[in-house]
Amino acid sequence: RIDIDKPLWDQSTFVGRFKHFLWMTDFRTCVVGETELNKAKELVSQYRLGQEPPGTTVEQVKYAKKLFESAFHPDSGDLQNVFGRMSFQVPGGMIITGAMLQFYKTAPAVIFWQWVNQSFNALVNYTNRNANSPTSTTQLGVAYVSATSSALVTALGYKAFLQKRASPFFQRYVPFSAVAAANCVNIPLMRQNELSAGIEIQDENGNVIGKSRLAAAKGISQVVFSRITMAAPGMLILPIIMERLEKNPWFKRATFLHAPFQTLAVGCFLTFMVPTACGLFPQNASMSTSMIRRFEPEFYAEIEKTTNGKVPDQVYFNKGL
């Protein structure tokens, strides 16, 4: 029997995490219907109790586990919006990123596609938040407007700066600069409750011992870095490829191929970069309690009371995605 609540690969290594997220973010799971997803959830619950139907194979259990982990939130167990799932990052990201890379020359196009991208990012960030720290509608609205504004200001400001000082080639990097800046705003604001109230931390046995703001800050900073890493290769390498290809007269004339080519190329990058970025840091993140003692002395005192003075050396928490 497999441990249904643990990944199939060793999560202490990058290779193990990469294999896990390559398996879990398979974009083919996006087209699986809600009925089949709920059946997968039920089979996972039955298997956990040792009550699965007779004749159930290990492969069936693994597939049910794959569907369950790709579609249901790890904290709340709720079915996630399909467009906000990590498994939708490849089809959703390739279309939007391809469009941003293709339509960057005019201000209206920059504004429209940055707005679309930030709307998509806001949905992804909300869907993959730490569900133990609820966020109000007002906070979500502020986060969305702030992130979209930061993306537009960065994109338009950088574009105006480059138009006067650099060649057209460098203007191709306007979308990436906007995406990087917006991620630094969007994710912390979308998860601001975690920064203000903290996220649940556990000891090695899974016992909750309190909520730490420091753990939230660490988790969110790792997610920001991962999201920028996810977008970087496609948005940094493709401009170079396009610049070279457009020197060929036949490709330059075939403008109708430019957008589809960039979209498919981004899809190829994201197929591998989504699991790479998700696997950079362990999902079940850890932190030394000595850091809590240093930066959250009052909370550390609470932990001492909760644990009767037996404070663990390490605590663990779900960093989100």
Side-chain angles (χ1 to χ4, degrees):
R1 295 181 68 86
I2 63 171
D3 189 333
I4 199 70
D5 295 312
K6 290 185 179 180
L8 300 176
W9 294 273
D10 181 9
Q11 297 299 284
S12 65
T13 67
F14 169 74
V15 173
R17 294 193 295 271
F18 175 82
K19 288 181 178 178
H20 170 70
F21 283 108
L22 184 65
W23 175 77
M24 198 185 83
T25 60
D26 183 350
F27 58 86
R28 293 173 298 179
T29 62
C30 294
V31 297
V32 177
E34 188 173 335
T35 301
E36 190 172 347
L37 291 175
N38 285 322
K39 285 182 179 178
K41 182 180 181 180
E42 184 180 1
L43 179 55
V44 168
S45 299
Q46 290 172 335
Y47 190 83
R48 186 180 290 120
L49 299 172
Q51 299 173 357
E52 70 275 10
T56 301
T57 66
V58 173
E59 290 306 313
Q60 288 175 321
V61 173
K62 287 182 178 179
Y63 183 64
K65 176 180 170 66
K66 177 179 183 175
L67 293 180
F68 174 71
E69 293 186 1
S70 69
F72 293 88
H73 197 283
D75 292 333
S76 65
D78 295 334
L79 181 63
Q80 296 174 316
N81 183 300
V82 64
F83 302 112
R85 298 174 197 167
M86 272 297 160
S87 54
F88 193 75
Q89 276 290 305
V90 172
M94 66 185 279
I95 294 170
I96 295 171
T97 305
M100 286 194 295
L101 290 173
Q102 177 63 27
F103 307 110
Y104 66 92
K105 295 180 180 179
T106 65
V110 169
I111 291 171
F112 176 75
W113 285 108
Q114 286 297 330
W115 168 72
V116 171
N117 186 50
Q118 288 314 309
S119 299
F120 177 62
N121 282 345
L123 177 60
V124 172
N125 293 337
Y126 176 73
T127 303
N128 293 282
R129 73 200 183 284
N130 185 308
N132 292 320
S133 300
T135 306
S136 69
T137 304
T138 302
Q139 289 171 323
L140 291 175
V142 169
Y144 173 67
V145 172
S146 301
T148 305
S149 301
S150 69
L152 293 177
V153 168
T154 303
L156 296 176
Y158 191 46
K159 179 176 172 59
F161 175 82
L162 291 178
Q163 276 179 332
K164 299 176 182 178
R165 297 173 176 81
S167 68
F169 169 72
F170 285 99
Q171 292 183 42
R172 292 180 182 272
Y173 289 107
V174 166
F176 176 70
S177 63
V179 166
N183 270 326
C184 293
V185 175
N186 196 334
I187 297 170
L189 283 176
M190 195 60 69
R191 298 173 59 177
Q192 58 190 288
N193 259 20
E194 298 175 35
L195 292 170
S196 60
I199 57 175
E200 286 186 353
I201 59 173
Q202 304 172 340
D203 62 19
E204 59 184 5
N205 298 316
N207 301 311
V208 177
I209 57 176
K211 287 189 173 185
S212 168
R213 294 190 298 273
L214 187 62
K218 180 177 180 179
I220 290 171
S221 63
Q222 289 180 347
V223 170
V224 169
F225 182 80
S226 296
R227 292 290 184 83
I228 294 174
T229 301
M230 188 186 296
M235 300 189 83
L236 293 178
I237 296 172
L238 262 180
I240 299 172
I241 296 174
M242 288 299 294
E243 188 76 7
R244 298 244 176 141
L245 286 175
E246 287 177 3
K247 289 180 181 178
N248 295 318
W250 68 270
F251 190 80
K252 192 170 186 178
R253 287 194 302 270
T255 52
F256 63 93
L257 289 176
H258 293 189
F261 173 79
Q262 292 201 85
T263 300
L264 290 173
V266 169
C268 293
F269 278 111
L270 286 177
T271 298
F272 295 98
M273 286 312 301
V274 170
T276 297
C278 290
L280 286 177
F281 306 101
Q283 180 64 33
N284 189 33
S286 63
M287 184 174 61
S288 170
T289 49
S290 62
M291 295 290 290
I292 297 176
R293 182 173 57 194
R294 181 178 178 184
F295 294 102
E296 293 183 288
E298 293 180 1
F299 176 53
Y300 185 82
E302 291 179 18
I303 295 177
E304 286 185 309
K305 291 180 182 178
T306 304
T307 60
N308 296 318
K310 298 177 181 178
V311 179
D313 294 330
Q314 293 281 327
V315 290
Y316 303 89
F317 56 94
N318 174 22
K319 70 174 178 63
L321 282 175

